[in-house]
Every structure is written in structure tokens, then in C-alpha cells.
Amino acid sequence: MTTTAHRQAPPGARETGPGASRRRPFRLPDRVRRGGLPYLLLLPAILLELIVHIIPMVLGLAMSFKELTQFFIREWWKAPWTGWDNYRVVVKVNGPIGHALLNSFLVTCAFTVLAVGLSWLLGTAAAILMQDEFRGRGVLRALFLTPYALPLYASVIVWAFMFQHDNGIVNHVLHDQLHLTGKPTFWLLGDNSFISLVVVSVWRNWPFAFLVVVAGLQNIPRELYEASAIDGAGIWQQIRRVTMPSLRPVNQVLVLVLFLWTFNDFSTPYVLFGQAPPAGGDLVSLHIYQSSFITWNFGEGSAMSVLMLLFLGLVTAVYLLVTSRRRGARA
């Protein structure tokens, strides 16, 4: 009987035969796996970010320098290049377009300040009141989150019916039952539309502030309250000296998020007032929609959008700079 001698292959030789792929599976080099695998896993998210945000932003920026009206919509890339003319038109406050944009900007700023301030105040107060355990606290927390959980269209359209002049429940309660008004009020017209918009926005956003503050309160040690109580601090002193300073990092992020959401809000005024809002409900987002899709002037609408983006970026940068400096000074 003969035996076959098995000789070891040289280090650089490649194995051949049917079992070679089973013995040596394909593996990426360690350097590639350590350095490239995180980027490979992020690739789907990066592609979606490009398709959904980056590419539309670049196209919008390009359209803001073109005379893109209804005559060039089918072949928008052939629209004449106008340079900075669209920006000059929308920032010229003496002209009709610039004056209307300025009024819309002022209405949006006032609406944002009131809506964000009231949402933060109501959410923080409710979260502090719900901090101690009592019977029924879980049920109340669930009820408080109901406006935030409801679909936006469904909740806002219900408010639109409630604000109706003839058969709305708001006029029925205020005028017919409580007799607080001399006659039924037009809540969706004129200056009252601003009040209606603020009420609906606060009703939808304060549960989010409540949820964030409740999460922040869980991280405050109970020992701080016990020590302050031993020192003779009352409820208001504990809130002022313990609760609010501990919530400062949470509130910094919360206020910024509420500001961006509220200033950019389009769905609430659109569902509440339709395509032609009154002056009191003419927010910048809806004004840009009118300029782009009602008057079919996408060049000016894109210029307004770019200016709005620059404004929000500037406010965000200043806010983060100021808050970070204050935090560093306290540290």
C-alpha cells in the first residue's frame, strides 16, 4: 500500500480545489473593517439625507437666482438667470412684495414668541405638578399627551369647526353661556385669527414640552429637595433654587426645538385658514407657499426660503453661542 505525502504549501501560495472557498471565507482587511464599516452602515442614511434634504436645498438655491415663473415650469433649467434680482425684490420693504413679506415676518415672530413661551410655561408647570406621586397620576399624564399624539390634520380641523362663527362651540360657550362677548366673534378672520393660531399651536405643542421636562425631572436627585427642605426652603424656593437650575440644559434644547418647529410651522395655519389666510395668520411658511404655488413665481419663493433659512441659522448660532458661554461661565 502506498501513502501520499502531504506537503505544507508555501506561505504565499493560493489553495485550489473545491474546498478552498470553505476553508478560507472572504474577509475584509482589518483596517478597512475598522475604518470603513461605520461609513458603510451610515450609507443608506446619507443617501436619504441627500435625496430628501441636500439636493432639494441645492435646487432651491439655484432656482432663487432664476426668473422661474409659470412660463418656465416644464423646463425650469431654461429659465433666465436673474442674479440677485429676486433677493432685491423680496427685501425691498417699499415695494408690495417686500412689504407683504415684512408683515408676514413680524406676524411670525410675534406668533413664535407667544406660542413657544406659553408652550414651555404650561409644559413646565404641568411637569412640576406631576412630579410627586399621587393616585391617578398615570392617567393624567396620558391625557396630557393626547394633543401631541393626535394626527395634526385631525386635531387642527376640529379646532377649525370649534372656531366657526355661527355654530362653533367656542362662541356658544363664550357668548351664549358665559356672556363674555357682546356678539359672536369671527375667530378665523381679521385680527382674531392670530389668537386662534396661537391657541391651536400652544394646545398642540405644550404636551411635548411637558414630556421633555418630565424626563429631565427624573434626573434630579431627591436628596437635593430633602436637603433644601431641611434648610427651611419652601415649595417656590425649591423650584427656583433646585428644579429650574437643574433643568437648564433640558430647557436650552427644548426652547430651541420649539422655536424651530413653531417658526417653520406650515400645516397648522394651512389647515386652519386654507390657502388664503387673513393678515393675522399669514406666517412666513404660508407666505412662501403662496408666492411659489399660487402666483407661480418660484424664483421669488425660493429667495424667500433661502432668507428664512439664513435667519433661522443665524438665530440658532447666536442662541447656542450665548447658552454655551453662560454654561461655561457657571462651570
Side-chain angles (χ1 to χ4, degrees):
M1 183 175 58
T2 60
T3 59
T4 302
H6 297 278
R7 293 180 299 175
Q8 186 177 2
R14 296 179 57 186
E15 293 189 45
T16 58
S21 60
R22 184 175 63 254
R23 289 192 299 269
R24 288 192 178 183
F26 175 77
R27 294 183 60 185
L28 292 173
D30 293 340
R31 180 178 299 178
V32 176
R33 287 192 293 111
R34 289 194 302 266
L37 184 58
Y39 297 99
L40 183 63
L41 296 177
L42 288 174
L43 184 60
I46 295 175
L47 291 177
L48 288 176
E49 182 70 18
L50 286 173
I51 296 174
V52 176
H53 291 110
I54 305 302
I55 294 179
M57 287 176 60
V58 174
L59 293 178
L61 180 62
M63 290 192 306
S64 67
F65 294 99
K66 288 178 172 288
E67 190 182 350
L68 186 57
T69 60
Q70 57 183 339
F71 304 105
F72 300 97
I73 291 178
R74 295 187 60 181
E75 297 179 346
W76 65 271
W77 57 90
K78 295 183 179 179
W81 184 269
T82 60
W84 298 97
D85 290 347
N86 291 326
Y87 291 92
R88 295 190 185 98
V89 170
V90 299
V91 300
K92 187 179 180 181
V93 295
N94 296 329
I97 297 176
H99 183 70
L101 180 61
L102 178 61
N103 291 335
S104 177
F105 175 76
L106 296 178
V107 170
T108 306
C109 290
F111 161 73
T112 303
V113 171
L114 287 176
V116 171
L118 292 175
S119 299
W120 174 84
L121 181 62
L122 291 176
T124 303
I128 293 175
L129 291 175
M130 294 292 160
Q131 187 177 10
D132 295 331
E133 294 185 3
F134 59 89
R135 181 177 299 178
R137 185 179 68 163
V139 177
L140 285 177
R141 283 184 174 182
L143 290 177
F144 286 171
L145 295 177
T146 300
Y148 184 68
L150 288 176
L152 186 143
Y153 181 85
S155 59
V156 177
I157 201 68
V158 169
W159 275 101
F161 283 117
M162 293 169 60
F163 281 130
Q164 291 297 317
H165 176 263
D166 296 327
N167 52 7
I169 191 174
V170 176
N171 279 334
H172 176 69
V173 173
L174 296 180
H175 176 69
D176 298 337
Q177 294 185 348
L178 300 180
H179 305 287
L180 296 178
T181 58
K183 58 182 179 179
T185 305
F186 288 94
W187 292 105
L188 300 179
L189 297 175
D191 296 335
N192 293 325
S193 59
F194 180 81
I195 301 175
S196 304
L197 185 60
V198 171
V199 169
V200 176
S201 179
V202 171
W203 182 82
R204 281 198 47 82
N205 289 333
W206 82 264
F208 174 76
F210 166 75
L211 184 64
V212 173
V213 176
V214 165
L217 290 174
Q218 307 304 315
N219 296 323
I220 303 177
R222 299 297 303 177
E223 292 79 6
L224 295 179
Y225 293 102
E226 295 174 358
S228 61
I230 293 174
D231 292 338
I235 297 298
W236 294 111
Q237 290 179 337
Q238 290 180 7
I239 294 175
R240 181 183 177 185
R241 301 295 183 181
V242 178
T243 304
M244 299 310 297
S246 301
L247 288 176
R248 187 173 290 112
V250 176
N251 285 328
Q252 289 174 354
V253 179
L254 174 61
V255 171
L256 179 60
V257 172
L258 287 176
F259 165 74
L260 295 176
W261 282 1
T262 307
F263 199 94
N264 281 312
D265 192 6
F266 169 81
S267 301
T268 301
Y270 182 80
V271 176
L272 200 60
F273 306 118
Q275 295 181 351
D282 186 21
L283 301 186
V284 171
S285 57
L286 201 56
H287 193 84
I288 294 174
Y289 170 80
Q290 287 181 319
S291 299
S292 301
F293 295 96
I294 303 300
T295 61
W296 298 101
N297 197 328
F298 287 92
E300 294 180 359
S302 299
M304 296 177 187
S305 300
V306 173
L307 293 176
M308 179 179 176
L309 177 63
L310 293 177
F311 172 76
L312 292 177
L314 178 62
V315 172
T316 302
V318 172
Y319 176 82
L320 294 176
L321 180 63
V322 172
T323 53
S324 61
R325 284 186 175 181
R326 288 182 178 178
R327 187 166 55 250
R330 292 188 184 95

